[in-house]
């Protein structure tokens, strides 16, 4: 009889292909862990990625699922293409065309308008979204033919650049009207027109890239929709650490999972780590408060003997448990 491998704990970063839903991706991970001989493992994802989108989907395994909620709050980076000239009801390639325009913006106008979308903005989510209205998903209401009115919400665009333009933020426009808007018809602008443009955006939770694309097109005096969407970073996880679906399937056939599994603490990038002695570790496992912690207010990650013990929150030197982790402690 084959030996059952212990249930893994940590993060598997999947490069989700277009056409696969996030829930389906979780199912694929479960199937391959089972096929690979691993004990039953709790699996979750750190932030939904639409079926039409591709890219970084953090998959939490075992004890890391206790941190999946933190990934929902993390900022994310997307690369996306706006096709000018047509707007669809879904704001992507799946929907019906609801608006057309012959106007194509000059490339310089595109670069200039981006600065007006950086920072805290109000955004109206797409009608075809998973947001609930009176208990029902907006897309379900829209597909049923209902007229759906979406309320605007506050989101933050940390940076917005033309792809290939480096990491700097979009430049301030030198071609602006008295109202502060770039003027696509300023005679000083180059006349190279854009049928489409690919952008890179680092955004807060709750931001809809499809809505951002729609609003950018409107600001340029035209309409548009998203034809390509890729998440290149989610919280601390980058596409460089992501594995393909093919590689995931190889793990199900015996390839080494540990070569691609990131530790639980990889999801706590930027949070101070503190090593506990045995007595303090036992106290934390009992849910007790630690006093005299030499850290500013905020989260800390505590461990003992190299093993995760808990995520804690410090307030005026006192640390309370936010999430406890169940790991065997080799040091005991």
């Amino acid at each position: 009889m084959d030996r059952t491998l212990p249930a893994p704990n940590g993060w598997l970063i999947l490069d989700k292909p277009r056409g696969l839903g996030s829930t389906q991706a979780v199912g694929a991970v479960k199937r391959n862990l089972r096929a690979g001989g691993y004990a039953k493992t709790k699996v979750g994802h750190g932030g939904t990625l639409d079926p039409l989108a591709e890219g970084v989907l953090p998959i939490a395994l075992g004890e890391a699922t206790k941190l999946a909620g933190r990934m929902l709050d993390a900022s994310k980076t997307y690369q996306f293409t706006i096709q000018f000239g047509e707007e669809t009801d879904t704001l992507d390639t799946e929907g019906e065309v609801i608006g057309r325009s012959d106007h194509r913006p000059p490339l310089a106008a595109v670069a200039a308008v981006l600065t007006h979308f950086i920072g805290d903005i109000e955004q109206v989510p797409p009608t075809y979204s998973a947001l609930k209205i009176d208990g029902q998903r907006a897309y379900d209401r829209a597909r049923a033919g209902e007229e759906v009115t979406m309320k605007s919400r506050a989101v933050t665009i940390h940076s917005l650049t033309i792809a290939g333009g480096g990491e700097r933020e979009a430049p301030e426009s030198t071609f602006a009207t008295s109202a502060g808007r770039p003027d696509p018809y300023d005679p000083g602008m180059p006349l190279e027109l854009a049928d489409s443009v690919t952008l890179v955006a680092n955004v807060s939770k709750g931001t809809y890239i499809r809505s951002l694309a729609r609003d950018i097109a409107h600001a340029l005096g035209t309409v548009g929709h998203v034809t390509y969407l890729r998440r290149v970073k989610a919280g601390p996880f980058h596409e460089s650490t992501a594995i393909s679906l093919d590689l995931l399937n190889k793990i199900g056939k015996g390839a080494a999972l540990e070569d691609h599994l990131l530790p639980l603490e990889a999801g706590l990038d930027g949070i101070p780590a503190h090593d506990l002695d045995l007595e303090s570790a036992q106290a934390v496992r009992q849910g007790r408060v630690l006093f005299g912690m030499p850290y500013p207010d905020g989260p800390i990650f505590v461990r003992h003997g190299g093993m995760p013990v808990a995520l804690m929150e410090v307030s005026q030197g006192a640390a309370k448990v936010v999430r406890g982790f169940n790991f065997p402690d080799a040091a005991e």
Side-chain angles (χ1 to χ4, degrees):
M1 184 174 179
D2 291 338
R3 182 173 64 91
T4 300
L5 299 170
N9 296 285
W11 296 92
L12 195 61
I13 312 306
L14 185 64
D15 192 337
K16 187 190 82 66
R18 184 180 174 116
L20 186 73
S22 298
T23 302
Q24 291 174 304
V26 168
V29 171
K30 287 182 177 180
R31 284 194 306 274
N32 279 286
L33 289 178
R34 210 162 42 235
Y38 292 90
K40 186 175 181 180
T41 305
K42 190 172 182 180
V43 182
H45 66 73
T48 300
L49 198 55
D50 288 345
L52 284 181
E54 61 181 58
V56 173
L57 182 65
I59 304 290
L61 306 181
E63 290 297 289
T65 57
K66 295 176 180 178
L67 300 177
R70 291 182 58 84
M71 285 300 105
L72 303 179
D73 293 335
S75 64
K76 298 173 178 66
T77 302
Y78 295 89
Q79 186 172 43
F80 62 104
T81 299
I82 309 172
Q83 178 68 50
F84 297 118
E86 291 184 339
E87 183 173 317
T88 66
D89 53 5
T90 58
L91 302 180
D92 57 25
T93 56
E94 266 200 331
E96 299 292 327
V97 176
I98 58 172
R100 287 187 171 87
S101 172
D102 292 330
H103 175 59
R104 298 295 182 272
L107 283 174
V110 176
V113 82
L114 298 185
T115 190
H116 295 279
F117 290 91
I118 294 171
D120 298 330
I121 65 170
E122 288 288 322
Q123 182 185 79
V124 177
T127 301
Y128 285 82
S129 66
L131 292 176
K132 287 188 176 180
I133 300 175
D134 296 330
Q136 272 191 289
R137 300 286 186 189
Y139 57 64
D140 287 333
R141 288 181 174 274
R143 286 167 184 159
E146 292 185 38
E147 187 172 333
V148 180
T149 301
M150 306 298 292
K151 294 180 180 179
S152 67
R153 61 199 297 183
V155 298
T156 303
I157 311 299
H158 301 296
S159 65
L160 183 60
T161 63
I162 294 177
E167 292 301 314
R168 61 184 176 81
E169 292 184 346
E172 292 289 340
S173 171
T174 56
F175 306 100
T177 66
S178 58
R181 284 288 191 189
D183 182 0
Y185 304 105
D186 190 291
M189 279 193 170
L191 293 179
E192 186 180 358
L193 304 181
D195 281 324
S196 65
V197 65
T198 299
L199 305 175
V200 178
N202 179 254
V203 302
S204 70
K205 70 170 183 176
T207 302
Y208 280 90
I209 296 298
R210 289 176 289 150
S211 292
L212 181 61
R214 172 200 62 205
D215 296 343
I216 290 171
H218 288 180
L220 290 163
T222 186
V223 293
H225 65 281
V226 172
T227 57
Y228 170 78
L229 178 59
R230 177 175 177 79
R231 188 155 71 192
V232 297
K233 194 169 184 286
F237 301 121
H238 191 268
E239 62 182 347
S240 60
T241 60
I243 67 169
S244 66
L245 198 57
D246 285 345
L247 187 47
L248 175 63
N249 292 333
K250 288 179 181 177
I251 290 172
K253 295 175 182 176
L257 171 65
E258 57 269 25
D259 290 346
H260 309 287
L261 187 67
L262 302 179
L264 175 147
E265 52 265 39
L268 298 172
D269 186 47
I271 294 177
H274 179 78
D275 289 307
L276 301 172
D277 58 27
L278 178 57
E279 183 180 355
S280 297
Q282 290 173 335
V284 169
R285 291 192 180 106
Q286 294 167 3
R288 288 155 57 188
V289 177
L290 295 184
F291 295 97
M293 299 298 284
Y295 297 95
D297 290 359
I300 61 169
F301 167 61
V302 297
R303 61 197 175 194
H304 174 60
M307 301 300 290
V309 175
L311 177 66
M312 306 186 77
E313 185 74 21
V314 177
S315 177
Q316 298 181 337
K320 294 183 179 180
V321 175
V322 176
R323 288 283 184 275
F325 304 116
N326 297 318
F327 282 93
D329 196 334
E332 290 187 12

